[in-house]
Amino acid sequence: MMLKALFLTMLTLALVKSQDTEETITYTQCTDGYEWDPVRQQCKDIDECDIVPDACKGGMKCVNHYGGYLCLPKTAQIIVNNEQPQQETPAAEGAGAAANAAATSSTGTGGVAATGVAASGVVPGGGFVASAAAEVQTGRNNFVTRRNPADPQRIPINPSHRIQCATGYEQSEHNVCQDIDECTAGTHNCRADQVCINLRGSFACQCPPGYQKRGEQCVDINECDASNQCAQQCYNILGSFICQCNQGYELSSDRLNCEDIDECRTSSYLCQYQCVNEPGKFSCMCPQGYQVVRGRTCQDINECETTNECREDEMCWNYHGGFRCYPRNPCQDPYVLTSENRCVCPVSNAMCREIPQSIVYKYMSIRSDRSVPSDIFQIQATTIYANTINTFRIKSGNENGEFYLRQTSPVSAMLVLVKSLSGPREYIVDLEMVTVNSIGTFRTSSVLRLTIIVGPFSF
């Protein structure tokens, strides 16, 4: 019975000891200057000299240190001593400590003394590790002796236990504390008009571009008043601004400046004669003898009603684009002037028997390149005799066949333009009407001398 009781007692103690051992296991995170090595299952030093660009200034060289780094003269030589430190810094004492290094030079001895303390601090997540104090000593001839600290406390991996992480961190699948992205998770408290920016262990609320924070709200910056970059017109919109140009200009490729629009190149129908581009607009010009009307079209100037150079014995005749002076008495011997523009050959004069009885002078103007065929002038008998027949013909001035005379009634005919004419040019066409009686005992004729002036343009 005594042996049985002793066996039960020893078994109970062993179970209690086993349970105590499992419950005392704690899990921690590496301090600043160290990172977790999943292969060795312990914290390892971070080589800042390798990852921090241009860590030391002033011609100093970077020497990696456990938990930090040192900046030493380039002539310093380093001797590593693997001796264990005299004491370790408890995790609680190392919380929040920043890495620091000091180097002093003593004149006369040529020696440099430098001491460095490895960084230790709060583990993100509330866990701590003990970081050993490491000394770096330099003596004569710039030789540096560095003592290695004891390996940081190992963090055992046990998936069945959870580690305690600081606010803003959470346990990962490798039993380390990792940052929580509150912006992605949607656990931030930024306003709807703010942008969430994730930080290490926290987050920040910022205003989007084009807005600035006033109190707790993000308000639109009025860019047009603050820093107007537009060349002409600036319009503020939510969070930004846009530039627009005045009429006759268009935005350039930088969307800020304005470039003149050459309207004359965009269309050939803006002006009747000539388009002239101007900054922000265009204007129309007309040739000599014309004036601009309604901004775009050209209208003939009637010089005969304004100013002309015709003498008193001349009459002014206006045509499209100019004017001409003709004699007020166009009659030539043996004709005499009986009325305005009408010359009659007296019957008593023997010379008048073989020539037209009368000549009437008429003038007309037409535009250049007029469409054909086109009726342009009508001739009609002024005196009608009984039992007579009238015939009409072009007596002269139609050598190139530009005209055709079509009889429209027994006493009238129409002059037709059958070929397009280009000016400036003057044509003199004699239109003759021959009158005979029905028995052929009487014959007479009269001529209408038509002067046609073709203008230089089609308007």
Side-chain angles (χ1 to χ4, degrees), residues 181-183 190 195-199 202-206:
D181 189 344
E182 295 85 356
C183 299
C190 296
V195 177
C196 178
I197 306 297
N198 185 58
L199 303 175
S202 183
F203 65 93
C205 299
Q206 296 183 0

Side-chain angles (χ1 to χ4, degrees), residues 53-92:
D54 199 15
C56 295
K57 309 291 185 181
M60 305 290 281
K61 69 177 179 180
C62 180
V63 178
N64 186 53
H65 189 55
Y66 291 97
Y69 65 94
L70 298 174
C71 293
L72 299 176
K74 290 186 176 180
T75 58
Q77 300 185 26
I78 302 172
I79 301 176
V80 179
N81 184 358
N82 290 325
E83 177 185 348
Q84 295 294 329
Q86 297 295 324
Q87 62 181 3
E88 293 183 350
T89 302

Side-chain angles (χ1 to χ4, degrees), residues 160-419:
S160 63
H161 291 78
R162 296 185 60 82
I163 61 176
Q164 182 181 0
C165 297
T167 304
Y169 292 84
E170 63 183 357
Q171 179 184 358
S172 70
E173 59 182 3
H174 299 293
N175 272 9
V176 294
C177 294
Q178 65 181 11
D179 174 58
I180 299 175
D181 189 344
E182 295 85 356
C183 299
T184 304
T187 57
H188 62 87
N189 59 354
C190 296
R191 297 168 53 93
D193 58 350
Q194 294 177 333
V195 177
C196 178
I197 306 297
N198 185 58
L199 303 175
R200 188 174 180 181
S202 183
F203 65 93
C205 299
Q206 296 183 0
C207 294
Y211 291 81
Q212 61 183 0
K213 193 172 184 180
R214 292 183 182 175
E216 295 298 326
Q217 296 183 346
C218 293
V219 296
D220 177 39
I221 300 175
N222 197 329
E223 293 88 355
C224 294
D225 293 336
S227 58
N228 184 6
Q229 305 179 48
C230 298
Q232 293 184 354
Q233 300 180 27
C234 179
Y235 291 92
N236 184 62
I237 59 177
L238 290 177
S240 184
F241 69 96
I242 58 174
C243 298
Q244 289 189 0
C245 299
N246 300 329
Q247 184 176 2
Y249 293 86
E250 61 183 356
L251 276 177
S252 59
S253 57
D254 60 9
R255 313 306 295 174
L256 296 175
N257 294 304
C258 295
E259 297 177 350
D260 175 56
I261 299 175
D262 189 349
E263 296 87 352
C264 298
R265 298 186 61 182
T266 60
S267 174
S268 58
Y269 299 99
L270 293 176
C271 299
Q272 190 173 30
Y273 177 65
Q274 183 178 356
C275 179
V276 179
N277 185 59
E278 298 178 10
K281 61 179 181 178
F282 71 96
S283 61
C284 295
M285 293 184 61
C286 293
Q288 184 178 1
Y290 292 85
Q291 60 185 355
V292 179
V293 293
R294 294 184 295 275
R296 300 192 180 190
T297 59
C298 296
Q299 185 182 66
D300 173 57
I301 298 174
N302 191 344
E303 294 85 356
C304 295
E305 295 179 352
T306 56
T307 57
N308 59 78
E309 300 175 354
C310 296
R311 301 190 306 266
E312 291 186 3
D313 61 343
E314 294 178 328
M315 58 171 290
C316 178
W317 181 260
N318 183 72
Y319 66 93
H320 299 289
F323 71 97
R324 293 197 178 186
C325 299
Y326 295 102
R328 293 184 179 274
N329 182 6
C331 301
Q332 298 179 3
D333 190 59
Y335 291 93
V336 294
L337 182 66
T338 59
S339 62
E340 184 179 3
N341 297 336
R342 184 179 179 85
C343 301
V344 176
C345 189
V347 178
S348 59
N349 192 334
M351 297 177 57
C352 297
R353 295 177 182 176
E354 302 297 330
I355 60 176
Q357 180 185 4
S358 64
I359 301 176
V360 177
Y361 289 85
K362 294 291 183 179
Y363 306 89
M364 70 172 298
S365 62
I366 61 175
R367 296 179 176 88
S368 184
D369 302 322
R370 182 169 176 169
S371 60
V372 293
S374 178
D375 296 345
I376 61 173
F377 191 84
Q378 179 174 311
I379 181 174
Q380 186 170 351
T382 57
T383 304
I384 301 175
Y385 299 98
N387 300 320
T388 58
I389 300 174
N390 297 314
T391 58
F392 300 88
R393 69 181 181 127
I394 300 177
K395 186 175 182 180
S396 63
N398 193 30
E399 289 75 18
N400 296 321
E402 296 94 345
F403 308 98
Y404 169 74
L405 190 60
R406 182 182 75 249
Q407 187 164 348
T408 56
S409 74
V411 292
S412 64
M414 178 64 70
L415 181 66
V416 181
L417 178 65
V418 294
K419 289 184 179 181

Side-chain angles (χ1 to χ4, degrees), residues 61 63 70-73 75-79 102-106 109-116 135-147:
K61 69 177 179 180
V63 178
L70 298 174
C71 293
L72 299 176
T75 58
Q77 300 185 26
I78 302 172
I79 301 176
T104 60
S105 173
S106 57
T109 61
V112 177
T115 62
E135 291 186 355
V136 176
Q137 297 180 347
T138 60
R140 297 180 182 274
N141 300 324
N142 285 343
F143 282 93
V144 179
T145 301
R146 184 176 67 179
R147 295 179 178 179

